[in-house]
Amino acid sequence: MNNLRILYHMARADFLERVRRYSFLLVLAATGYLGFAINRGDLYLELDGYRGVLNSAWVGGMMAASSVLLLTLFGFYLVKNTIERDRETGVGQIIATTPISRPMYLLGKWLSNTAVLLTLIIILALAALVMQLLGGESSRLDSWALLAPFLLLALPAMLLVAAIALFFETISWLRGGAGNVIYFFVWLFALISALESKVFWFDWTGLWITWQSMAEALTKVYPGYSGGFNFTEQALPAGGLLTFEWMGIHWTPEILLSRFIWLIVTVVLVLVSSLFFRRFDPAFEKIRKPQKSTSQTLDGMGEVPTSIQHTEHQPVQLSVLARDWPRFSFLQLLAAEIRLLLKGWPWWWYLVALGLVLGTLFSPLETTRAELLPFAWLWPILLWSSLGCRETHHNTRQIVFSTPHPLRWQLPSAWLAGFLFAALMGAGAAVRFLLAGETLSLFSLLAGALFIPSLALVLGVWIGSSKPFEVIYMMLWYIGPFQKTAALDFMGTSTATSWPMFAGLAVVLFIIAVVGRQRQLAD
Amino acid sequence: MKLTIDHLGKQYGRHFWGLRDFDLELGPGVIGLLGPNGAGKSTLMRMLATITRPTEGFIQWNGVDIAGSPNTLRAVLGYLPQDFGVYPNLSAVEFLEYMAAIKGIGARAARRRIDELLQVVNLADAAKRPLGGYSGGMKQRVGIAQALLNDPQLLIVDEPTVGLDPEERVRFRNLLSDLAGERIIILSTHIVSDVEATATEIVVINKGRKIQQAAPEQLLKLLEGQVWQWIVPSPDLPALKQTHIVSSTLRRSEGLLVRVVSESAPAAAAQAVVPNLEDVYLHLVSQNGVGQ
């Protein structure tokens, strides 16, 4: 009973701390908008030109599938900060001194993560209800058919995502930006694998179970159905989609058991996380550069006099600075910004970066363009993501913002440092394009190099965190340059015609970043 | 060199004023800003350091309104915030070089200055190590060094001795005294002994308002003949605290040696003693009511 009380209070305090933040209101608004967009038909589920009649089963199944698809990705980033917050606020140090066990602490945090995600699921479930009532295609409200996909598919998936987020937070090298990048690829791989394996035991999201059930009902009415299953925002075809009646998933004991197994996996994951959780012990905190000397005193001062009285005071005479400053040297400031950007990476990080630049220089032109350049511009993602939010993250805002002309000098030099690194990573490709006489590709490369630091800067300044850039850039990178979607291809790997748009965007984003910084300076 | 603060106020939310109707005129010297936690010291410091804008009133540096042209002051400002961070992957030298660059100090002058300052704050031996491995006190000393980088005419230090060990505290107090001259130093703290050692003028602030401004000697005169000391049995202390301002207690074999601020002798055995700034501060703050 006592343990349950501890769990309740752990989860409650953490949940309240999160939902009382302004940013959570924005998340609620975005989720509400998603429900609205699905209701309006801006985003819909179609099976190769067919859709279900808007009955309880279809709206529930569709909305649950939408929420699983989006929240297994974005939900992770939303909740992956619960331990970090305790670390940053110092509350963790206090918690570490209480008798609470590591599994109990993590279970509480897991419940809080789940509660946050569940709040969003409830909003979407309500949107499904509204959708059926407004759709007017089925007047019979079947609450089980409407809610079962949320309860049996979305909920276990959210519990799992809540646990994965916790696991990432307990592993030091997955805690930061690297974890954000890795999760994106893990999520993509796991999602595709689950759908392609066609085995419901592996279907951690429940999407394949939903799809199969819908396809089965559809094939009975339209045997010509070819097997597609898409969430799309594209305009409806002329005449709309053909409809069929789907009465919902037939919840066999095997399906229920598979969902239950995922629940067990989730609990095991939370317990495994507790093995890696170090109770905020600073000795286990990630330090990029280990200290070479451990023989010095804690303050690193060597011998400290035992008595203050023994310390003789000799008046300090500081040299007088000529009063001809501030006389900014942009190059000096740029060099300092570049050093700040490049400091602290392990040697192998630079080696990979160098390898990518050389690879783009010496590989066949098409390999450079389509394969190596995208990776060369993915590798420094964590370097760029510090732009604009570094002052907030490291709490240097007060000392940086009280220097002369922080807007005129510091911000542009930070941006330029980011641009120069993008240019450096694209240098090999640039040489190849130049030698091949591909002027348009060169322009695309330049536009991409301008766009990346601008995007990082605007998100960093306005949101104050590196996470949004890491998530948005990765998605852009995957859909655009990697999957060759022309409209989002800011590197010009598939088409070199979008460069004016990205060059223009770079300018607009930089201006918005300047406005954001101006706002910060004006308090 | 003159800093003028006129009817300064800062409002947070709709109903709470962190600072209100604050007037001050300062010239060269060390000005100790004393006040209990939440008195409004940091709010004042942040406005002076151009971090936040006043809701009402104005601050002038040599006649120029700093809300309208903050860079006039920033060029000659050194600021050590109460709560600040550093970039953990840079060494102290690299961090100070970065700060010198954004303060607009030339590379050569910065290099010389950084070497001097690292000696002054006793960090020369650790100068090449990443700041992420520094202790709290060492980071505080890096903060002090960055504030002095540009040879500031106005140096604002907010609770500068927090996290410093006793030796470093003494060293820092001496440093402030040595630096005082043709510059204005504003030292904000709630540790009276820090101010006592260095300040040429003291401003006491409580509940967002100035309640006293005077030289330390003048402040001490306020309580001449009003501070008493005598030994009381330990169980009597709670009752004494109910009726008098007890500024200190020391345990003795016969009981507790108490120090009390009172206009008249509080007990037959009480003997008048020379007041110190701790007595004055407690007296002023208690007269004005406890902190917010």
Side-chain angles (χ1 to χ4, degrees):
Chain A
M1 193 60 192
N2 190 39
N3 281 348
L4 280 177
R5 198 173 145 268
I6 292 170
L7 267 183
Y8 166 72
H9 282 287
M10 281 283 306
R12 179 178 177 269
D14 198 65
F15 178 71
L16 290 177
E17 166 63 26
R18 285 164 149 178
V19 300
R20 286 175 182 168
R21 288 179 181 222
Y22 176 68
S23 54
F24 189 74
L25 278 181
L26 295 179
V27 173
L28 283 183
T31 311
Y33 179 76
L34 175 68
F36 172 71
I38 295 173
N39 260 318
R40 242 176 42 154
D42 294 340
L43 185 69
Y44 58 93
L45 174 63
E46 60 101 19
L47 290 86
D48 283 349
Y50 303 99
R51 71 161 174 86
V53 172
L54 296 182
N55 58 14
S56 298
W58 178 264
V59 294
M62 181 175 73
M63 204 64 90
S66 311
S67 54
V68 161
L69 190 65
L70 293 168
L71 290 180
T72 49
L73 179 64
F74 296 111
F76 169 85
Y77 297 111
L78 181 68
V79 297
K80 195 193 131 229
N81 58 4
T82 179
I83 300 176
E84 188 60 35
R85 196 171 38 254
D86 280 354
R87 185 175 287 110
E88 280 176 359
T89 56
V91 173
Q93 295 276 326
I94 300 169
I95 291 172
T97 61
T98 66
I100 192 168
S101 67
R102 290 186 297 178
M104 192 59 75
Y105 173 78
L106 290 183
L107 279 171
K109 292 292 180 186
W110 173 54
L111 286 180
S112 164
N113 278 359
T114 305
V116 169
L117 296 175
L118 203 58
T119 307
L120 306 182
I121 293 283
I122 288 170
I123 291 174
L124 292 170
L126 289 172
L129 177 66
V130 172
M131 188 173 191
Q132 187 188 351
L133 296 177
L134 296 181
E137 293 184 9
S138 170
S139 57
R140 187 174 162 267
L141 186 66
D142 182 344
S143 49
W144 172 247
L146 185 107
L147 293 177
F150 289 100
L151 200 63
L152 298 171
L153 298 180
L155 179 60
M158 293 306 109
L159 288 166
L160 180 62
V161 168
I164 295 172
L166 213 54
F167 178 75
F168 270 58
E169 281 204 83
T170 54
I171 308 284
S172 61
W173 58 274
L174 288 176
R175 195 180 295 153
N180 294 339
V181 176
I182 289 168
Y183 181 76
F184 178 78
F185 290 105
V186 169
W187 172 82
L188 202 63
F189 175 77
L191 190 73
I192 293 170
S193 304
L195 290 174
E196 286 188 347
S197 71
K198 301 184 191 304
V199 180
F200 64 79
W201 297 105
F202 297 146
D203 187 17
W204 63 285
T205 59
L207 282 175
W208 189 77
I209 294 170
T210 310
W211 175 16
Q212 277 314 104
S213 174
M214 288 175 175
E216 215 174 283
L218 175 58
T219 315
K220 282 179 188 164
V221 189
Y222 298 103
Y225 164 61
S226 56
F229 180 79
N230 298 308
F231 284 99
T232 181
E233 81 301 337
Q234 289 171 0
L236 286 168
L241 299 169
L242 293 170
T243 61
F244 66 101
E245 193 162 28
W246 180 61
M247 299 309 289
I249 295 166
H250 176 53
W251 300 104
T252 63
E254 288 81 9
I255 290 178
L256 292 177
L257 182 64
S258 75
R259 304 314 290 162
F260 183 68
I261 287 173
W262 280 110
L263 271 182
I264 293 172
V265 169
T266 299
V267 175
V268 169
L269 190 59
V270 175
L271 296 177
V272 167
S273 301
S274 71
L275 298 176
F276 299 100
F277 176 55
R278 303 296 183 180
R279 287 185 80 102
F280 306 101
D281 182 349
F284 292 96
E285 294 296 311
K286 184 183 160 195
I287 297 173
R288 274 188 185 160
K289 275 193 171 178
Q291 291 179 30
K292 284 175 185 163
S293 167
T294 52
S295 60
Q296 288 176 306
T297 60
L298 181 65
D299 267 11
M301 304 315 314
E303 286 185 18
V304 175
T306 50
S307 163
I308 294 166
Q309 282 73 24
H310 292 164
T311 312
E312 281 179 23
H313 173 58
Q314 292 177 332
V316 170
Q317 288 289 323
L318 289 173
S319 58
V320 177
L321 278 182
R323 291 274 162 206
D324 60 348
W325 48 267
R327 204 170 54 182
F328 285 94
S329 157
F330 193 74
L331 280 180
Q332 186 192 345
L333 187 50
L334 180 63
E337 283 290 345
I338 290 173
R339 182 156 61 188
L340 190 53
L341 210 58
L342 293 178
K343 263 281 179 170
W345 299 96
W347 62 269
W348 52 265
W349 186 90
Y350 295 103
L351 197 67
V352 173
L354 181 67
L356 284 165
V357 175
L358 293 176
T360 51
L361 192 59
F362 296 113
S363 298
L365 186 60
E366 278 319 301
T367 309
T368 290
R369 189 202 319 273
E371 291 167 28
L372 289 176
L373 178 61
F375 282 101
W377 273 1
L378 180 66
W379 189 243
I381 180 173
L382 302 182
L383 180 145
W384 288 315
S385 69
S386 68
L387 290 175
C389 59
R390 188 194 293 145
E391 296 80 11
T392 303
H393 180 71
H394 294 299
N395 195 18
T396 56
R397 276 174 70 150
Q398 292 195 69
I399 52 179
V400 171
F401 292 179
S402 61
T403 58
H405 307 291
L407 196 64
R408 197 188 304 166
W409 297 103
Q410 193 266 334
L411 196 74
S413 60
W415 177 87
L416 192 57
F419 166 75
L420 287 177
F421 198 76
L424 179 72
M425 292 303 290
V431 170
R432 300 301 306 279
F433 295 152
L434 195 66
L435 292 176
E438 293 192 13
T439 317
L440 270 181
S441 296
L442 263 177
F443 283 147
S444 287
L445 200 69
L446 181 64
L450 292 168
F451 171 72
I452 295 168
S454 295
L455 180 68
L457 201 65
V458 76
L459 292 170
V461 166
W462 279 92
I463 305 177
S465 161
S466 58
K467 209 187 273 184
F469 174 75
E470 286 156 10
V471 178
I472 291 171
Y473 183 77
M474 253 178 334
M475 293 186 64
L476 261 181
W477 176 90
Y478 181 76
I479 301 170
F482 194 75
Q483 290 286 347
K484 318 285 183 240
T485 306
L488 298 178
D489 184 4
F490 58 91
M491 297 180 199
T493 57
S494 57
T495 170
T497 54
S498 303
W499 72 267
M501 182 183 81
F502 286 105
L505 256 179
V507 175
V508 171
L509 292 176
F510 180 75
I511 291 169
I512 297 172
V514 170
V515 172
R517 179 53 57 89
Q518 203 162 25
R519 193 174 143 265
Q520 290 175 331
L521 290 170
D523 193 35
Chain B
M1 192 184 303
K2 196 167 81 170
L3 182 71
T4 310
I5 299 170
D6 191 8
H7 281 91
L8 197 67
K10 179 71 184 178
Q11 189 176 21
Y12 297 105
R14 278 193 180 177
H15 306 293
F16 181 75
W17 286 84
L19 199 79
R20 192 123 206 223
D21 285 334
F22 200 91
D23 298 306
L24 203 60
E25 194 161 308
L26 301 175
V30 180
I31 293 90
L33 195 61
L34 270 178
N37 293 327
K41 301 189 298 294
S42 291
T43 298
L44 176 62
M45 299 288 102
R46 289 195 195 106
M47 282 191 280
L48 290 175
T50 72
I51 298 293
T52 186
R53 283 167 183 264
T55 310
E56 61 179 29
F58 60 84
I59 303 166
Q60 285 186 333
W61 173 252
N62 293 333
V64 178
D65 180 11
I66 66 162
S69 78
N71 290 313
T72 311
L73 179 61
R74 285 172 182 163
V76 293
L77 171 70
Y79 178 46
L80 174 67
Q82 185 179 349
D83 178 31
F84 70 98
V86 290
Y87 298 126
N89 294 307
L90 296 188
S91 68
V93 171
E94 290 164 342
F95 180 70
L96 292 173
E97 281 173 351
Y98 175 74
M99 288 307 301
I102 62 174
K103 286 187 179 198
I105 305 168
R108 191 176 299 173
R111 186 78 222 177
R112 197 174 57 241
R113 188 84 179 167
I114 289 166
D115 287 344
E116 283 179 3
L117 285 170
L118 287 170
Q119 292 287 346
V120 166
V121 298
N122 206 11
L123 281 177
D125 292 345
K128 299 275 171 66
R129 282 170 38 192
L131 294 172
Y134 275 29
S135 70
M138 292 169 82
K139 283 179 190 162
Q140 188 72 2
R141 282 181 271 158
V142 173
I144 292 165
Q146 69 78 27
L148 294 171
L149 263 177
N150 57 341
D151 195 10
Q153 289 180 359
L154 174 62
L155 176 63
I156 299 174
V157 285
D158 195 357
E159 305 282 2
T161 55
V162 171
L164 297 185
D165 61 34
E167 187 198 6
E168 289 301 333
R169 258 177 77 181
V170 172
R171 186 192 278 264
F172 181 70
R173 286 177 189 171
N174 290 336
L175 174 64
L176 279 193
S177 301
D178 294 342
L179 292 174
E182 278 310 297
R183 78 180 88 223
I184 300 174
I185 299 177
I186 301 178
L187 162 66
S188 162
T189 183
H190 63 276
I191 303 169
V192 179
S193 57
D194 282 352
V195 171
E196 201 161 25
T198 49
T200 50
E201 192 169 5
I202 291 172
V203 176
V204 183
I205 173 173
N206 193 23
K207 292 183 174 179
R209 290 173 194 267
K210 184 176 82 178
I211 57 174
Q212 188 64 258
Q213 178 185 0
E217 298 78 12
Q218 286 173 299
L219 285 178
L220 292 170
K221 276 186 186 160
L222 287 174
L223 286 190
E224 266 180 10
Q226 294 184 39
V227 183
W228 310 86
Q229 194 171 278
W230 78 105
I231 289 177
V232 299
S234 299
D236 292 356
L237 185 63
L240 188 65
K241 280 184 173 173
Q242 295 287 320
T243 52
H244 292 88
I245 303 164
V246 178
S247 67
S248 75
T249 56
L250 280 173
R251 194 162 291 280
R252 294 279 185 270
S253 54
E254 313 93 291
L256 287 172
L257 179 66
V258 293
R259 192 178 170 95
V260 164
V261 180
S262 172
E263 285 183 12
S264 55
Q271 289 184 336
V273 290
V274 178
N276 62 28
L277 274 179
E278 192 98 34
D279 304 320
V280 178
Y281 169 69
L282 285 172
H283 172 68
L284 290 172
V285 171
S286 65
Q287 269 194 334
N288 189 250
V290 287
Q292 293 167 72

